[in-house]
């Protein structure tokens, strides 16, 4: 079976299925109109005609019953007396089937076939519709004192009602043909418009699959297909954005990994190629190689953390954790760094700040923020860490009097590998991944992180977590 360009088989195609089912319903309706309706009208006419002819036959039979011995004269007198003008043919026969009244005719074959039944006392009715006329015949015995004395055969041929019925039939046929043509045109039009739009969606999917993320369907209208088109365009925009982020991430990650690798290569080459190099320089270079290797290890560790967060893998199940304990231990760990930079590190930590998370992830967030506040500070500057318990949330605020972030960079500092001052960040072993890890971790536990400049210079980072309240016992 042939296939169209979208790879759908002919009989599996929606177009063909729609067209065939619509056509089947319409043809069925038209056939019913042309057959059932006409045959029902014909049956109605037949039964009313038959009732009329039967009552005429009954009248004749009653009149002939009074005659003791049927003869041609006696029958002619009775027929003349009765008003039988509306009937097309009247035949009266004697007890042996001899014709007493009426002339021979082609309908005599009916008489011959049924004569013996009628003479045995049965009524016979016969009707047909031919050449645009209704033929209704009644063949009945004349019974006198329990004995059959003869028979009456009367026929009514109605061409007027036949003509009306034929006219009706022709009109219905013409209307049916017209309806059929209109339906075909309408179906073709509807299918054409629907299929044109479905084809445009299919084409768009093919293009986007080939990587053309700028492709838009721009479907007009307000129906379901237009909604589908709009959804598709939104999806393509999202894909484009994701693709861009992925590419940039790969490029940034390779760059980050390449820099320490180049340094290692350069340092090892210097040692190998310089034959007169003294031992203290070799030690210095090897120590540098060690630092670069550590940087590589840290960067890959962070990249792995990010990949885990991207995949939604929270390794440990979240449990209620006291944020004050976590922040206190972080401050203890970072106190030496504050001392080196001559920075005053102060804190005010509320009790009862319970958060549903894991201790490690909260530690990572707090450590990153406080470490940054110390790293990007000025000599003899200050850092204040506050933990505030509110009715429904817990706020961790890290304020510093440091160098701050320029307004243009502020929207980007949570991006992966983003560093305002590369040299300064590198000198502290930074990779530009700390804040993006902090943001992803905070989000994974239902929280929010924000950064804002401080009026007096420096930065304020705030993390808000929903406060954990134990379920009622
Ligand atoms: P890094 O490893 O470079 O510190 P982060 O993701 O932690 O990476 O931070 C991204 C960048 O944001 C830093 O390189 C720095 O330029 C800026 N930044 C972060 N915290 C502060 C802060 N408290 N004060 C000034 N700049 C900051």
């Amino acid at each position: 079976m042939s296939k169209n360009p979208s790879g759908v088989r002919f009989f599996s195609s929606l177009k063909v299925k729609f067209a065939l089912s619509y056509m089947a319903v319409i043809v069925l309706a038209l056939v019913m109109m042309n057959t059932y309706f006409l045959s029902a009208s014909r049956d109605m006419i037949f039964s009313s005609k038959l009732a009329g002819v039967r009552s005429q036959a009954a009248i004749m039979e009653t009149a002939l019953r009074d005659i003791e011995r049927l003869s041609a004269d006696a029958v002619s007198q009775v027929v003349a007396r009765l008003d039988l003008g509306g009937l097309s043919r009247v035949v009266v026969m004697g007890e042996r089937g001899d014709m007493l009244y009426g002339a021979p005719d082609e309908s005599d074959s009916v008489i011959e076939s049924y004569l013996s039944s009628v003479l045995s006392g049965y009524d016979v009715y016969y009707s047909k519709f031919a050449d645009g006329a209704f033929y209704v015949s009644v063949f009945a015995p004349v019974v006198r004192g329990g004995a059959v004395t003869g028979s009456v055969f009367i026929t009514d041929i109605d061409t007027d009602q036949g003509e009306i019925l034929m006219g009706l039939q022709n009109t219905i046929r013409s209307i049916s043909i017209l309806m059929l043509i209109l339906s075909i045109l309408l179906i073709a039009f509807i299918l054409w418009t629907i299929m044109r739009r479905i084809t445009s969606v299919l084409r768009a999917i093919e293009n986007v699959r080939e990587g053309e993320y700028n492709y838009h369907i721009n479907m007009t209208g307000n129906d379901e297909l237009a909604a589908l088109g709009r959804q598709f365009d939104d999806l393509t925009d999202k894909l484009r954005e994701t693709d861009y982020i992925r590419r940039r991430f790969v490029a940034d990650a390779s760059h980050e990994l390449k820099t320490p690798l180049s340094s290692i290569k350069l340092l090892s080459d210097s040692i190998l190629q310089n034959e007169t190099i003294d031992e203290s320089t070799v030690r210095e270079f090897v120590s540098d190689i060690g630092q670069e290797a550590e940087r590589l290890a840290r960067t890959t560790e962070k990249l792995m953390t990010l990949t885990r967060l991207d995949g939604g893998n929270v390794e440990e199940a979240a449990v209620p954790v006291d944020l004050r304990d976590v922040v206190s231990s972080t401050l203890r760990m970072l106190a030496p760094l504050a001392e080196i930079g001559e920075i005053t590190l102060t804190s005010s930590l509320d009790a009862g700040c319970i958060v549903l998370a894991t201790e490690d992830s909260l530690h990572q967030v707090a450590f990153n923020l406080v470490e940054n506040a110390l790293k990007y500070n000025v000599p003899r500057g200050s850092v204040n860490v506050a933990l505030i318990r509110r009715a429904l949330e817990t706020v961790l605020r890290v304020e510093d009097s440091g160098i701050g972030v320029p307004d243009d960079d502020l929207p980007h500092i949570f991006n992966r590998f983003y560093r305002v001052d590369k040299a300064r960040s590198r000198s502290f072993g930074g990779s530009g991944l700390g804040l993006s890890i902090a943001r992803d971790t905070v989000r994974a536990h239902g929280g929010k992180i924000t950064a804002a400049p401080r009026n007096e210079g420096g930065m304020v980072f705030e993390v808000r977590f929903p406060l954990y309240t134990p379920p009622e016992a």
Side-chain angles (χ1 to χ4, degrees):
M1 193 57 61
S2 69
K3 286 185 175 189
N4 64 21
S6 56
V8 181
R9 285 177 186 283
F10 181 75
F11 278 111
S12 308
S13 151
L14 269 186
K15 187 167 50 179
V16 177
K17 280 183 191 162
F18 270 136
L20 287 181
S21 11
Y22 276 135
M23 286 310 294
V25 172
I26 287 161
V27 168
L28 198 74
L30 294 181
V31 167
M32 286 285 284
M33 220 166 91
N34 279 273
T35 54
Y36 173 76
F37 179 67
L38 284 173
S39 75
S41 334
R42 209 166 47 201
D43 290 351
M44 233 163 66
I45 296 172
F46 268 135
S47 55
S48 85
K49 295 228 77 59
L50 188 63
V53 177
R54 277 180 73 186
S55 73
Q56 299 269 33
I59 293 168
M60 270 198 75
E61 199 250 335
T62 316
L64 293 172
R65 194 187 288 163
D66 295 340
I67 303 167
E68 200 179 325
R69 239 190 108 69
L70 293 180
S71 65
D73 284 347
V75 171
S76 296
Q77 278 171 18
V78 170
V79 173
R81 225 180 333 113
L82 298 171
D83 179 19
L84 301 172
L87 294 172
S88 309
R89 188 168 183 223
V90 178
V91 175
V92 178
M93 278 170 286
E95 59 191 319
R96 277 184 295 280
D98 44 323
M99 201 175 282
L100 303 174
Y101 181 83
D105 192 328
E106 60 194 29
S107 60
D108 290 352
S109 59
V110 178
I111 297 175
E112 276 161 28
S113 327
Y114 296 106
L115 186 62
S116 59
S117 306
V118 174
L119 290 181
S120 312
Y122 294 106
D123 286 6
V124 173
Y125 313 120
Y126 170 84
S127 58
K128 69 170 182 180
F129 181 74
D131 306 327
F134 286 97
Y135 292 79
V136 178
S137 304
V138 171
F139 198 6
V142 179
V143 183
R144 182 186 160 81
V148 177
T149 56
S151 61
V152 178
F153 178 83
I154 60 179
T155 298
D156 185 18
I157 301 171
D158 189 340
T159 47
D160 291 350
Q161 297 215 50
E163 258 170 41
I164 293 172
L165 194 76
M166 292 291 277
L168 200 66
Q169 194 170 353
N170 288 339
T171 314
I172 289 177
R173 193 174 299 140
S174 312
I175 291 174
S176 301
I177 292 170
L178 196 72
M179 275 174 66
L180 199 65
I181 293 170
L182 282 179
S183 308
I184 290 173
L185 289 178
L186 198 69
I187 290 169
F189 176 72
I190 292 173
L191 285 181
W192 177 74
T193 41
I194 292 178
M195 291 321 289
R196 196 173 49 105
R197 303 168 94 204
I198 290 182
T199 311
S200 72
V201 176
L202 282 175
R203 197 181 317 116
I205 291 173
E206 266 167 36
N207 284 329
V208 173
R209 200 181 50 203
E210 300 293 316
E212 212 186 306
Y213 298 126
N214 285 325
Y215 196 92
H216 268 191
I217 308 179
N218 293 327
M219 190 101 73
T220 49
N222 293 313
D223 58 7
E224 289 84 346
L225 283 175
L228 179 75
R230 279 194 295 275
Q231 292 285 343
F232 182 85
D233 288 347
D234 286 352
L235 192 71
T236 318
D237 289 344
K238 260 245 146 355
L239 268 177
R240 189 177 52 225
E241 201 182 302
T242 315
D243 186 57
Y244 170 73
I245 292 171
R246 186 180 57 84
R247 279 170 201 266
R248 217 189 56 199
F249 181 72
V250 172
D252 289 348
S254 336
H255 178 77
E256 281 312 308
L257 297 175
K258 220 177 83 193
T259 318
L261 280 174
S262 313
S263 304
I264 290 173
K265 173 102 176 68
L266 199 75
L267 288 163
S268 57
D269 281 354
S270 310
I271 297 171
L272 287 174
Q273 284 160 15
N274 192 344
E275 283 168 10
T276 59
I277 191 163
D278 58 274
E279 200 189 318
S280 69
T281 319
V282 172
R283 283 192 155 279
E284 194 187 318
F285 281 11
V286 171
S287 138
D288 287 348
I289 289 176
Q291 276 179 18
E292 292 300 321
E294 263 175 37
R295 184 199 300 283
L296 267 179
R298 271 199 307 275
T299 308
T300 42
E301 175 65 30
K302 285 183 177 174
L303 283 174
M304 278 161 74
T305 309
L306 276 173
T307 317
R308 271 203 302 275
L309 287 167
D310 279 351
N313 287 347
V314 178
E315 274 161 17
E316 286 176 58
V319 289
V321 180
D322 189 338
L323 196 51
R324 189 164 71 155
D325 293 347
V326 176
V327 176
S328 303
S329 93
T330 308
L331 292 175
R332 270 197 306 279
M333 284 169 83
L334 287 168
L337 187 65
E339 260 172 48
I340 295 168
E342 296 174 49
I343 295 159
T344 319
L345 181 57
T346 53
S347 65
S348 75
L349 311 177
D350 282 359
C353 294
I354 312 293
V355 169
L356 204 57
T358 64
E359 202 171 312
D360 281 353
S361 58
L362 292 180
H363 171 76
Q364 202 163 35
V365 174
F367 192 93
N368 261 313
L369 295 182
V370 180
E371 192 195 25
N372 279 352
L374 295 168
K375 278 187 328 192
Y376 303 105
N377 217 312
V378 290
R380 282 177 293 282
S382 64
V383 170
N384 181 258
V385 180
L387 188 61
I388 305 145
R389 184 185 195 272
R390 295 221 175 115
L392 296 171
E393 60 180 11
T394 285
V395 184
L396 170 65
R397 182 182 298 146
V398 181
E399 264 180 274
D400 66 69
S401 59
I403 56 170
V405 175
D407 287 350
D408 289 348
D409 295 289
L410 198 57
H412 310 293
I413 56 168
F414 291 102
N415 291 353
R416 293 171 186 189
F417 300 109
Y418 196 85
R419 288 173 294 197
V420 178
D421 180 347
K422 273 192 184 271
R424 185 173 181 135
S425 165
R426 283 180 79 83
S427 71
F428 282 106
S431 58
L433 291 173
L435 282 182
S436 63
I437 291 176
R439 184 195 53 186
D440 290 1
T441 311
V442 169
R443 282 186 183 166
H445 296 300
K448 259 187 194 161
I449 185 166
T450 53
R454 219 169 61 117
N455 291 339
E456 308 86 344
M459 291 293 291
V460 191
F461 283 83
E462 269 191 3
V463 177
R464 287 158 196 276
F465 282 116
L467 192 69
Y468 170 75
T469 39
E472 303 275 319

